[in-house]
Amino acid sequence: MTTVHDWGRPVGDANGLYADGVVQVPIVVVETDVGITGVGMGPHVEIDSIFSALEGEDPRGVTALYDRMLRRTFKAGHAGTVFGTIGALDTALWDIKAKAAGEPLWRLLGGRDRRVPAYASGLDIGLDDAGLVSLYKEYAERGLRAAKLKGGLDVDRDRDRLTLVRDVLTEAGNGARPGLMLDANEAWSRKQAVRHVAELERTLDLTWVEEPVRRWDADGLAAVGRGVRAAVATGENLTGLEQFRPLITAGAVDVVQTAAVWGVTHFLRVSALAHAYDLPVSPIGTTPFGLLHAATSVPNHLVTELQDLRPPTGLVLDVSVEDGAFVLGDTPGVGVTLDEDAIGAITDGPVTRAYDSPAVRPGLAGLRLLAPRVH
């Protein structure tokens, strides 16, 4: 099934906007012959073929079934949206396994603390100053003291926006210095990245810069890391350990990220690889419910992205946001309940995806000589 996330405002990054703020959210539901149902969020691409690796199997053998799904896509490859389908099914299997055990997933995975530290991330490049301040005040009221802004097109505009958010969080934190991050979403060349971030660092302290150059460019990411004070974060668009290994072994990444859509097993394996190199991990995603549970069980979790305080339509989540952290509940499984009536009421409604949305890379990305004009 498919629901929508209505942000109530434009959302996007340096690549483009969802101008109406209504984004489709695909959902995978896996049913068992004993009446337990698992839920995962992610694509449905090649799902019939991939699900054939699971059909008739005991869903509690999650990690073995994960590898079985990978093998099912051996020739065509498991990158991109196909990997997302595998991840959605994997999360649904973990949901089933925890429900069968009668425990929340965080407890089943060996987590001790149900609190998962969070940072604010509003996909906010389309907001004016007033909207930006209002949004981050809302985050600050929930105790968040770190924020990641979208940027990368205009260094002066990025400085102004980061300063506004810094002041909001500083005031809310009674003068304590907040954490600030900037996400360029692969908008720069190597030298553009160094020049842009170095200029910001004359007046701002950045915790990390995210995806400054192309996701697979180990040499470029390492060059950026040497040229700026901020850490380099990347990984949300990488799929499979084989894509992480070259970056980690080259010293090209300081904060290892994984996307919620890629699933729980992938996160656990990437976390183990990163931990072997003494690197922290940080989950990314609109509703990272599976990875929130998994984050409690790994020794190198740093912080998880909190994008919106409202879930997609028809999703009821057993999680709250308090004192700057996600707080997981005790519902068995991943703590997601589907309101199918609410989802059915909006499924056939209008959902427009702008041609220049964040899913479409602009032709001039990495090739802009000057900041784009504001019309």
Side-chain angles (χ1 to χ4, degrees):
M1 67 179 68
T2 299
T3 185
V4 298
H5 193 158
D6 187 350
W7 296 75
R9 56 183 174 82
V11 290
D13 56 38
N15 297 298
L17 289 173
Y18 293 114
D20 57 7
V22 181
V23 183
Q24 290 184 330
V25 180
I27 301 170
V28 170
V29 178
V30 177
E31 298 177 344
T32 69
D33 57 6
V34 296
I36 301 176
T37 299
V39 178
M41 292 172 61
H44 304 159
V45 176
E46 300 291 339
I47 193 165
D48 290 339
S49 173
I50 295 169
F51 184 74
S52 66
L54 309 179
E55 196 165 10
E57 298 287 329
D58 186 331
R60 293 172 296 180
V62 183
T63 53
L65 291 176
Y66 179 81
D67 289 320
R68 189 175 170 88
M69 288 190 285
L70 292 182
R71 291 197 301 273
R72 192 56 54 99
T73 60
F74 168 62
K75 285 292 185 181
H78 61 246
T81 51
V82 171
F83 197 67
T85 301
I86 293 172
L89 290 168
D90 174 72
T91 298
L93 293 180
W94 279 109
D95 190 24
I96 292 169
K97 184 179 178 76
K99 286 175 177 174
E103 293 187 329
L105 182 57
W106 65 269
R107 182 74 75 190
L108 181 75
L109 289 171
R112 175 176 171 270
D113 188 349
R114 70 181 69 220
R115 293 175 54 83
V116 181
Y119 70 88
S121 175
L123 311 187
D124 45 48
I125 202 166
L127 297 180
D128 60 18
D129 289 354
L132 188 73
V133 168
S134 176
L135 176 64
Y136 281 91
K137 281 185 176 179
E138 190 176 353
Y139 290 125
E141 289 171 358
R142 300 295 187 97
L144 277 78
R145 297 293 178 262
K148 182 177 77 184
L149 274 64
K150 297 293 189 179
L153 298 177
D154 184 326
V155 68
D156 295 320
R157 181 69 182 138
D158 285 348
R159 182 192 299 109
D160 292 344
R161 298 175 81 247
L162 285 162
T163 300
L164 285 171
V165 172
R166 179 198 64 187
D167 292 347
V168 167
L169 298 182
T170 299
E171 180 179 359
N174 296 318
R177 178 181 294 184
L180 292 176
M181 296 83 90
L182 182 70
D183 188 355
N185 290 102
E186 305 179 64
W188 296 320
S189 68
R190 301 177 187 186
K191 282 295 186 180
Q192 283 177 329
V194 171
R195 291 175 62 230
H196 197 115
V197 176
E199 175 62 23
L200 294 175
E201 289 183 326
R202 292 197 308 110
T203 54
L204 293 164
D205 182 22
L206 294 179
T207 302
W208 77 59
V209 56
E210 188 169 321
E211 289 193 328
V213 296
R214 298 313 303 269
R215 64 195 72 169
W216 51 73
D217 185 4
D219 290 341
L221 290 163
V224 173
R226 291 191 296 269
V228 303
R229 297 198 310 270
V232 171
T234 193
E236 67 174 292
N237 288 306
L238 300 178
T239 55
L241 289 181
E242 70 279 0
Q243 293 190 9
F244 282 83
R245 186 172 58 241
L247 273 62
I248 290 175
T249 57
V253 55
D254 302 303
V255 178
V256 180
Q257 298 173 314
T258 67
V261 72
W262 305 145
V264 172
T265 300
H266 172 67
F267 171 78
L268 294 173
R269 292 180 177 183
V270 170
S271 296
L273 175 62
H275 186 49
Y277 286 82
D278 292 318
L279 293 174
V281 291
S282 180
I284 297 288
T286 306
T287 308
F289 57 88
L291 300 198
L292 291 176
H293 290 263
T296 67
S297 69
V298 300
N300 51 335
H301 173 260
L302 177 64
V303 67
T304 293
E305 181 178 42
L306 169 61
Q307 291 186 351
D308 198 7
L309 293 167
R310 296 164 295 271
T313 299
L315 268 64
V316 180
L317 309 179
D318 188 12
V319 62
S320 59
V321 179
E322 304 169 16
D323 298 326
F326 295 96
V327 181
L328 294 163
D330 289 316
T331 300
V334 297
V336 176
T337 303
L338 298 180
D339 183 340
E340 295 189 24
D341 291 337
I343 294 172
I346 55 89
T347 297
D348 297 327
V351 178
T352 58
R353 296 187 65 169
Y355 177 76
D356 61 342
S357 77
V360 180
R361 182 171 171 82
L364 290 178
L367 297 173
R368 294 183 181 92
L369 181 62
L370 302 173
R373 292 182 178 181
V374 178
H375 298 288

